Amino acid sequence: MERTEIVLEGRKGEIQLFSDDHKAGKMDISVIGKKLTVYHTEVNPEYEGKGFAKILLERLVSYARENDLKILPLCPYVHAQFKRHPEEYNDVWMKEEP
């Protein structure tokens, strides 16, 4: 059974993913004002290939929507997903100005 937990201490924190009470992965994030920056997504090797990065991404996006935040995707995985599915993420995607 998978569950996620958002741990914010001040402006920085993590979205943590647990599988059967074992930490399976995380996203490093920060929240400043209405901007949620995601820096890094990591899934532990023994949990790779099970869709856990997608679970983290879904939690990130739902947290942003619940709190009226825009996501700045500095993490390559999140940025790639946003570019691949813009219609799904346009409402929360903070695009950098050229």
Side-chain angles (χ1 to χ4, degrees), residues 14-78:
E14 295 180 341
I15 299 175
Q16 300 175 345
L17 174 65
F18 295 89
S19 179
D20 297 324
D21 291 325
H22 298 287
K23 191 170 178 184
K26 68 177 179 117
M27 278 182 162
D28 295 325
I29 63 170
S30 70
V31 179
I32 300 172
K34 291 289 180 185
K35 179 172 76 172
L36 190 166
T37 304
V38 56
Y39 301 98
H40 178 70
T41 301
E42 182 177 310
V43 174
N44 295 344
E46 62 268 26
Y47 296 101
E48 288 177 357
K50 298 181 180 191
F52 282 11
K54 180 73 171 170
I55 292 171
L56 283 164
L57 176 64
E58 288 169 358
R59 185 62 185 111
L60 173 80
V61 170
S62 66
Y63 181 79
R65 288 179 177 140
E66 290 162 12
N67 293 281
D68 194 28
L69 302 171
K70 293 286 188 181
I71 299 169
L72 181 60
L74 299 182
C75 165
Y77 169 74
V78 176

Side-chain angles (χ1 to χ4, degrees), residues 64-93:
R65 288 179 177 140
E66 290 162 12
N67 293 281
D68 194 28
L69 302 171
K70 293 286 188 181
I71 299 169
L72 181 60
L74 299 182
C75 165
Y77 169 74
V78 176
H79 191 253
Q81 292 302 314
F82 279 21
K83 283 179 73 172
R84 201 169 288 139
H85 307 284
E87 68 290 342
E88 196 173 331
Y89 302 115
N90 265 338
D91 64 318
V92 293
W93 185 2

